[in-house]
Amino acid sequence: MKCPGQDTRYWKHDAIFDVPCPNCGQMLEFFKDQTTIRCKGCGKQIINPKMDFGCASYCQYAEQCLGELPPELLAKRDDLLKDRVAIQIKNYFKKDFKRIGHTTKVARYAGKIVQPEGGVPAIVLCAAYLLDIGAKEAEQKYGDASDAHLETEGPAVARKMLTDLKAKEPIIDEVCDIIGHRQPRAEETVNYRCVYDAEQLVKLMEAQKEEQLAAEALEALIDKNMMTETGRQLAKTILLADK
């Protein structure tokens, strides 16, 4: 099977184009499916500036493509991993739209917290998406998806999913550790704190829909429960804006 985007029969007039070498200015002719070419002027390997590697987040042949990319683009694999996990988790929960919505919110806020706190986006976002991954197994075995049962069932399911996506072993280990304990230990990594705060924020938002707390009580909960300064400020901005 050949990707239609790489089949020359479907190419348009702009599939072959010239760009100046960013190092020496020598004009370079790229075909749209070329990842790199070597500049005849300076001898440097130049990356195709128009190639979109976003398809690697969902294409089943991404591994073959990524294997041919230069090292600087291979480094993006970890970043693409979270996008692939996001798609997999939606497929996994199928029509459980409530859980998909909850998971997506946790991941969205984790994404806002991770960079200011200096965490690793690939680990934080994957853990945020996979936080409730054990829900189906827990409900089948125990009749509910309590935090304790999610801790028990989640890591094995997450490990298989991440292994199938060819994630690196250290990423798999840390993601499984994060989702394997919902309550913080005495000492926690910055990645754990980012995921924890994102979930706490979503839980507070959901609780507010059920019962509106006074601003003072809500602020006290935020200060008590959040583990990062970014998480605290984000929660106050969202939850106390109209108080």
Side-chain angles (χ1 to χ4, degrees):
M1 178 179 176
K2 189 171 186 177
C3 173
Q6 307 304 322
D7 191 329
T8 56
R9 291 176 299 173
Y10 300 97
W11 283 12
K12 298 179 180 178
H13 68 280
D14 57 352
I16 303 172
F17 55 92
D18 295 332
V19 295
C21 171
N23 294 304
C24 68
Q26 172 83 24
M27 293 306 293
L28 308 172
E29 183 182 67
F30 271 103
F31 286 57
K32 61 175 285 185
D33 62 344
Q34 281 182 292
T35 56
T36 64
I37 58 175
R38 188 170 298 283
C39 175
K40 293 180 180 178
C42 63
K44 291 186 178 295
Q45 197 76 10
I46 307 300
I47 298 171
N48 183 342
K50 293 188 178 181
M51 181 160 275
D52 180 7
F53 298 99
C55 59
S57 65
Y58 58 81
C59 180
Q60 62 178 315
Y61 300 108
E63 188 66 21
Q64 290 94 315
C65 293
L66 290 169
E68 298 171 358
L69 295 175
E72 57 268 43
L73 290 177
L74 283 173
K76 293 184 177 180
R77 291 181 66 187
D78 291 349
D79 192 47
L80 290 172
L81 177 65
K82 62 178 172 45
D83 299 324
R84 302 175 75 184
V85 169
I87 293 169
Q88 290 295 315
I89 203 70
K90 290 174 182 174
N91 292 336
Y92 185 80
F93 284 131
K94 300 186 187 311
K95 294 183 178 179
D96 189 348
F97 300 117
K98 183 178 180 181
R99 198 171 297 282
I100 291 172
H102 175 87
T103 299
T104 303
K105 286 179 186 174
V106 173
R108 182 192 310 153
Y109 294 121
K112 293 180 181 294
I113 296 170
V114 61
Q115 290 193 341
E117 292 295 323
V120 179
I123 293 172
V124 170
L125 271 296
C126 286
Y129 278 119
L130 295 170
L131 206 54
D132 290 350
I133 188 72
K136 286 167 58 175
E137 286 70 16
E139 287 167 351
Q140 289 171 1
K141 285 186 180 180
Y142 312 108
D144 68 75
S146 65
D147 282 357
H149 294 150
L150 289 174
E151 290 177 357
T152 303
E153 301 300 323
V157 186
R159 181 172 293 279
K160 182 179 186 313
M161 182 180 289
L162 291 171
T163 300
D164 289 345
L165 292 173
K166 303 189 184 305
K168 295 175 183 174
E169 200 63 31
I171 292 178
I172 297 175
D173 289 343
E174 186 165 352
V175 168
C176 289
D177 178 67
I178 290 172
I179 68 175
H181 68 289
R182 315 284 287 212
Q183 292 303 310
R185 301 172 180 133
E187 297 287 335
E188 282 297 355
T189 65
V190 65
N191 293 330
Y192 180 95
R193 294 197 297 269
C194 293
V195 178
Y196 182 85
D197 276 7
E199 190 190 29
Q200 291 303 309
L201 172 53
V202 174
K203 284 183 173 179
L204 284 172
M205 293 170 68
E206 292 171 348
Q208 276 297 94
K209 289 183 179 178
E210 300 293 327
E211 181 182 4
Q212 286 284 321
L213 294 176
E216 294 77 11
L218 192 53
E219 186 170 9
L221 273 177
I222 293 170
D223 288 333
K224 177 184 176 183
N225 292 338
M226 308 295 266
M227 300 183 74
T228 69
E229 185 56 30
T230 305
R232 276 188 286 274
Q233 291 305 317
L234 182 61
K236 290 177 181 178
T237 300
I238 293 172
L239 294 168
L240 298 176
D242 57 352
K243 293 290 182 182

